[in-house]
Amino acid sequence: MEKHGLCPTETPAGNKASFRETSLSGQDSQVPSSEVLEAIENVIQGVLQSLAQRKAPVLTVANRTDWRNIEFKDSVGLQMIPGCTAKQIRSDCPQSARRFALMLKILSMIYKMVQSNTYATKRDIYYSDTLLFGSQSVVDQIINDISCMLKIPRRSLHVLSTTKGFVAGNLSYTEEDGTKVNCTCSATAVTVPSNVQGIKSVEIMCVYKYGSVSMSFEAHHLTVPSVKWLGLLPSDLERLNICKDALIPFTKQDENKLASIQKRPYIACQPLWKKELDIMAASKLKAEIQVLTSVSSDYLSRVYLPNKLQFGGWL
């Protein structure tokens, strides 16, 4: 049995161009929406034709993990070769039927976004139906497969990567490689460094605001005491009646982390934080802000954040 739910049928992927052109700067060229829609329509047409002929529909995806399908060019780097081997995702194979269905589901979502000229992050897509997809990694892999199958860059599919967040204001820090970043002088918000391994939920804010035990000797250089908790609050989940199926159950590690946070000395001087942590501890459920897409696709930008900023819904 192959990994990722692929049936063990290996076929040549044909002699089409390996992928769309990319600019010298490394940025994907934007494929016209009409071409994206046509590519998706061709896939669906193939599925319908198979059904009309009473055959099991099959999606063919290039084998992205086989080094035999890769070549190196000085001007480009590693790229997939034309006529590379491929894996078939069959609708009649127990190991791949679910993946086949999920690919059609996400293709449908992409088609609607391209039609309406709207965008979503991979995280948004996962949170649109967490029970169906099961995990973020499943969504990520399928989106990559779809991009490879259609030979269209992900950006042209109107699917964006999830950023690590942005920061602006009276803050400066030094990155792991020694790069000094001054958020005060920057004309735009600065991307939060991705090297925050070991930091989780509420924990990120606590470390930004109060620092960590391991770096306590340098807290006066690292902490930002004026940081506010803007969202998403556990009480918001109750107030907005977010479906529990869209939330993520606590792991044992989550429970231990929350218990640790509740015992920290600064929680005593933050009664509103304590109340929110108590709600989280009672529910044993967590969520990221993207869960608000389960209310409506634009609820976060159209309703939630404007109201928070206007009426002071932060802690």
Side-chain angles (χ1 to χ4, degrees), residues 158-259:
H158 287 225
V159 179
L160 308 175
S161 292
T162 305
T163 64
K164 300 297 183 181
F166 298 90
V167 62
N170 187 21
L171 173 68
S172 61
Y173 61 88
T174 302
E175 294 184 342
E176 187 180 25
D177 63 359
T179 303
K180 295 185 182 298
V181 179
N182 190 332
C183 303
T184 307
C185 300
S186 179
T188 58
V190 177
T191 304
V192 174
S194 58
N195 184 25
V196 289
Q197 219 170 9
I199 299 177
K200 302 291 182 183
S201 303
V202 180
E203 174 77 344
I204 294 174
M205 177 189 62
C206 290
V207 172
Y208 281 156
K209 189 176 180 74
Y210 294 116
S212 63
V213 173
S214 62
M215 295 298 291
S216 59
F217 65 91
E218 208 173 4
H220 59 290
H221 287 149
L222 300 177
T223 58
V224 188
S226 60
V227 161
K228 301 294 183 183
W229 186 355
L230 178 59
L232 183 64
L233 301 177
S235 58
D236 289 338
L237 301 177
E238 293 184 339
R239 177 174 58 84
L240 297 174
N241 197 27
I242 300 295
C243 177
K244 288 189 176 181
D245 289 342
L247 304 179
I248 304 172
F250 264 25
T251 63
K252 186 63 179 177
Q253 183 180 5
D254 292 328
E255 291 184 32
N256 294 338
K257 174 62 69 176
L258 181 57

